[in-house]
Amino acid sequence: MDDAPNSGRTIYYGAFVHCKSLQELDICESGAIGVGEDGKIAFIERGVSDIGLDGVKQTYDWGNAEEVRVNDEGFFFPGFIDTHIHASQYPNAGIFGKSTLLDWLNTYTFPLEGSLGDLERARLVYDRVVSRTLSNGTTAAAYYATIHVPATNLLADICLSKGQRGFIGRVCMNSLAPDYYRDASVDSVIADTRATMSHIADIDPKHDLVAPIITPRFAPSCTEDCLHALGALHKESGARCQTHISENKPEVALVCELFPKSASYADVYDSAGLLTAKTILAHAVHLSDEEKSLIKYRESKISHCPASNTALTSGCARVRDMLDRGITVGLGTDVSGGFSPSILEMARQAIWVSRHVAMTEGDQAKLSVEEVLYLATRGGAKVVGLEDRIGGFEVGMDWDAQMISLGKVSSDDMNLDTEGPVDVFGWESWDDKVAKWMFNGNDRNVSAVWVKGRLVHRRKSYKG
Ligand code: GUN
Ligand code: FE
């Protein structure tokens, strides 16, 4: 026991909700989660209303811990994991007209990304996107930056200083790109990728918060020798890898044309050594059965990007089928193919897409509230390889969490500006409250966000 006013230990008190399995939520109406100064969960107590917070403090000899209480209708929930987001494209969120992937890249995306060589512009964009995703409860994100090393390094600096977990990808593209925005050679691709790796090793040597991720944009943007060189670097460094796969049909046709020796799109990556258990593949809309088997065999992970796939009319990813095959799936906003930086929004978009699939292929395709919340948290944690540390509330895991506040409707207070758009009447079951949050909630319901126990975002109304 020490008698310091507080020991850097905090007890989070009230309801908490997290995913027990793909199908099942664990809802604890009255809990206490103790988080140590190392940011890890030290204990979890349930049924706390019986012994009260003082009882918990006594049990653990945590008398001088700080307390954080969630309001009566709200709950603590694990931080969301965005498994695919282009930080550099954030200014274009919502701007895509009627384009589809290949013309969208040339019309909207390359000009914006190309402009982020200007460090001041990059700072404005990256500051904002990291703050905005944090305010939406995203505690970890797999980011694509641009080809520019200083700006990519800046994104790593910003994640680290704001306290978000970030996998930071310097985008590699030495082919089929405009002259103003293209890598000069395979050697420069590797040298620039290494430069960002080395910067990140300097600022966060243990990769506690930020880590590099090898990022060939997608097969059409890279020559075969470039993909092979990146595959060799993936093997040598052990860094994760991220890319796009089978997003729309003209893209798949282009890959067949560009890589005639390969059996499939997935095989292009596999033959380059880029299809591994540490690879995140975004979209996966038009994969063949053989490709899905190969991805499962290699244990590569899928980022499902429902908003983007609808916006760019790329298609409907068959998430149920991938889950049934045992493929690991998480959610990605894919800003700015996707219009929203919110993973909660992606959870509902994933539900809608699954219902559109169900309308032609049968009810088994439908994803439930529990399932999409699993993809948003535990699934995402598996996709980024951190399932032992984040995605749920277990003793020994990091406190990466969001405080969800919900307002109760009351006849004496008709102020609509308080706790966000979810109206709780008080007679709902807990399952119903969670469903109402999932379908109607937004960043106004996110009162506070922690990563590894550090408070990284709070709304004005938060009294911690
Ligand atoms: N394929 C190659 N580049 C991109 C990109 O920036 N966004 C999406 N959605 N698909 C891509
Ligand atoms: Fe993308």
Side-chain angles (χ1 to χ4, degrees):
M1 260 288 279
D2 59 53
D3 5 72
N6 93 57
S7 53
R9 298 183 298 196
T10 306
I11 300 176
Y12 296 88
Y13 186 53
F16 66 84
V17 177
H18 66 149
C19 299
K20 207 186 261 183
S21 66
L22 185 59
Q23 288 84 18
E24 210 183 338
L25 290 174
D26 176 13
I27 299 177
C28 172
E29 292 179 33
S30 171
I33 300 184
V35 176
E37 52 197 344
D38 56 0
K40 290 189 187 301
I41 298 175
F43 64 80
I44 300 179
E45 276 289 312
R46 292 164 175 273
V48 173
S49 44
D50 301 340
I51 56 168
L53 189 54
D54 287 341
V56 174
K57 286 183 168 181
Q58 249 172 24
T59 309
Y60 292 95
D61 198 7
W62 274 38
N64 55 1
E66 279 185 41
E67 296 162 26
V68 175
R69 285 171 194 254
V70 62
N71 80 356
D72 285 348
E73 304 304 331
F75 51 92
F76 295 103
F77 194 78
F80 289 135
I81 295 149
D82 188 341
T83 58
H84 183 81
I85 172 166
H86 299 261
S88 50
Q89 295 173 18
Y90 181 59
N92 273 356
I95 307 175
F96 51 91
K98 290 188 177 172
S99 59
T100 56
L101 177 63
L102 299 176
D103 59 303
W104 170 80
L105 283 172
N106 285 311
T107 310
Y108 296 95
T109 306
F110 293 154
L112 173 61
E113 288 191 22
S115 75
L116 293 205
D118 174 343
L119 264 185
E120 282 322 299
R121 201 170 154 100
R123 183 184 304 280
L124 192 66
V125 172
Y126 292 158
D127 251 335
R128 191 63 175 190
V129 70
V130 173
S131 293
R132 180 66 75 190
T133 51
L134 282 172
S135 74
N136 278 282
T138 297
T139 48
Y143 282 118
Y144 286 57
T146 60
I147 69 173
H148 314 102
V149 174
T152 303
N153 293 350
L154 180 64
L155 175 60
D157 297 343
I158 289 172
C159 276
L160 190 61
S161 74
K162 290 186 188 283
Q164 187 178 53
R165 283 180 206 277
F167 297 94
I168 310 293
R170 184 264 173 207
V171 176
C172 302
M173 40 193 288
N174 73 331
S175 190
L176 289 192
D179 288 343
Y180 66 84
Y181 188 53
R182 170 210 292 259
D183 285 310
S185 67
V186 175
D187 285 348
S188 73
V189 163
I190 299 302
D192 286 359
T193 302
R194 282 190 192 277
T196 286
M197 286 178 161
S198 127
H199 175 77
I200 295 174
D202 286 345
I203 60 170
D204 187 5
K206 291 196 194 143
H207 300 323
D208 272 337
L209 225 50
V210 289
I213 182 161
I214 293 169
T215 305
R217 176 166 215 122
F218 68 156
S221 290
C222 296
T223 54
E224 196 175 343
D225 52 347
C226 180
L227 291 173
H228 280 259
L230 289 168
L233 184 60
H234 179 47
K235 188 167 183 191
E236 173 209 304
S237 65
R240 292 171 180 77
C241 169
Q242 62 182 353
T243 189
H244 298 84
I245 196 167
S246 208
E247 181 174 350
N248 94 349
K249 286 186 176 161
E251 172 211 11
V252 176
L254 179 62
V255 171
C256 283
E257 198 183 304
L258 292 170
F259 299 89
K261 286 183 290 176
S262 295
S264 64
Y265 199 154
D267 183 48
V268 172
Y269 293 138
D270 195 40
S271 15
L274 288 167
L275 207 63
T276 74
K278 286 186 163 183
T279 301
I280 306 172
L281 301 165
H283 302 286
V285 176
H286 302 285
L287 294 175
S288 66
D289 286 351
E290 291 73 23
E291 288 177 293
K292 288 179 196 166
S293 301
L294 177 61
I295 287 167
K296 161 74 181 145
Y297 181 69
R298 295 288 187 223
E299 299 177 47
S300 302
K301 314 298 193 277
I302 300 296
S303 175
H304 175 43
C305 304
S308 170
N309 293 339
T310 302
L312 300 181
T313 49
S314 299
C316 296
R318 299 316 195 258
V319 174
R320 171 70 63 215
D321 179 46
M322 292 192 273
L323 292 171
D324 285 350
R325 290 166 183 266
I327 296 174
T328 301
V329 182
L331 297 179
T333 57
D334 193 26
V335 165
S336 65
F339 54 84
S340 166
S342 159
I343 285 291
L344 190 67
E345 176 67 34
M346 293 313 111
R348 47 192 174 246
Q349 294 279 328
I351 289 205
W352 291 149
V353 167
S354 76
R355 273 153 173 72
H356 282 284
V357 176
M359 284 187 247
T360 50
E361 296 178 11
D363 272 359
Q364 81 294 339
K366 286 185 192 174
L367 296 173
S368 65
V369 169
E370 291 80 1
E371 286 173 323
V372 294
L373 291 176
Y374 181 94
L375 300 186
T377 54
R378 301 253 193 204
K382 285 187 183 174
V383 168
V384 300
L386 290 182
E387 64 271 30
D388 296 337
R389 287 176 61 183
I390 58 173
F393 299 143
E394 315 286 345
V395 170
M397 284 172 72
D398 288 349
W399 181 249
D400 280 28
Q402 41 183 330
M403 180 197 273
I404 304 300
S405 299
L406 302 177
K408 190 162 171 181
V409 176
S410 134
S411 50
D412 342 315
D413 182 4
M414 279 299 175
N415 179 4
L416 293 175
D417 295 327
T418 49
E419 311 267 59
V422 184
D423 280 329
V424 174
F425 286 85
W427 55 71
E428 298 87 348
S429 68
W430 267 94
D431 281 317
D432 288 346
K433 268 204 308 197
V434 172
K436 288 182 74 159
W437 164 63
M438 208 229 59
F439 281 111
N440 293 307
N442 65 20
D443 57 341
R444 281 164 55 205
N445 299 107
V446 183
S447 293
V449 180
W450 296 264
V451 173
K452 271 189 104 191
R454 171 179 167 198
L455 183 66
V456 291
H457 168 75
R458 63 177 162 166
R459 283 180 61 79
K460 276 200 194 115
S461 54
Y462 172 75
K463 299 173 206 72

